[in-house]
Amino acid sequence: MSALLPISPSVDRRIQSRKLIRVPAVLDIAGRAPLSVRTVELSASGLGLSCPVNLAPGLMCTVSFRLLGPASLTELVLPGQLTYSVLSQRDGGFRIGVQFKNLSTDNAKRLEACLTI
């Protein structure tokens, strides 16, 4: 019988570099009223949010927010899936992880342009 190896919680499996961005956002989940949230960090593949309620990982969602783009404010509406939700005293609620899913080419380009500023 082989020994089970513990999974190290300190291993960060994310490949994309992240940028700290704190702006108001709206989290839409089918069947629920839109939630006012705040972005915490953003990458080309996902984002962290500060959320007032605990949500189940696996839910599909859309996150909408505005960022300064190359020429002006850019409205981003990004589809994704919740990957985790943990209580966070620092964030005053729950830290929610969202992995982007099915980003259009246009959305991916607009997001990348905002991340390079």
Side-chain angles (χ1 to χ4, degrees):
M1 181 158 89
S2 62
L4 294 176
L5 298 175
I7 297 173
S8 172
S10 63
V11 174
D12 189 348
R13 298 187 197 289
R14 292 174 279 197
I15 297 170
Q16 304 283 332
S17 63
R18 292 163 289 177
K19 189 171 186 176
L20 294 178
I21 295 180
R22 306 208 178 204
V23 297
V26 175
L27 178 64
D28 285 306
I29 298 171
R32 296 183 65 116
L35 288 167
S36 293
V37 296
R38 190 158 188 81
T39 64
V40 177
E41 61 186 15
L42 178 66
S43 77
S45 62
L47 76 153
L49 299 172
S50 174
C51 182
V53 298
N54 191 14
L55 297 169
L59 294 173
M60 300 305 290
C61 64
T62 302
V63 183
S64 307
F65 55 99
R66 291 183 183 167
L67 290 179
L68 185 59
S72 62
L73 278 179
T74 299
E75 177 80 23
L76 295 169
V77 180
L78 306 170
Q81 182 174 25
L82 301 181
T83 57
Y84 66 87
S85 178
V86 295
L87 183 61
S88 172
Q89 287 182 338
R90 179 175 174 224
D91 293 320
F94 293 85
R95 174 71 68 95
I96 305 293
V98 177
Q99 180 180 19
F100 298 137
K101 298 285 187 182
N102 304 317
L103 281 185
S104 68
T105 303
D106 182 53
N107 266 342
K109 286 179 183 178
R110 292 173 40 204
L111 177 60
E112 189 61 36
C114 291
L115 287 169
T116 58
I117 291 180

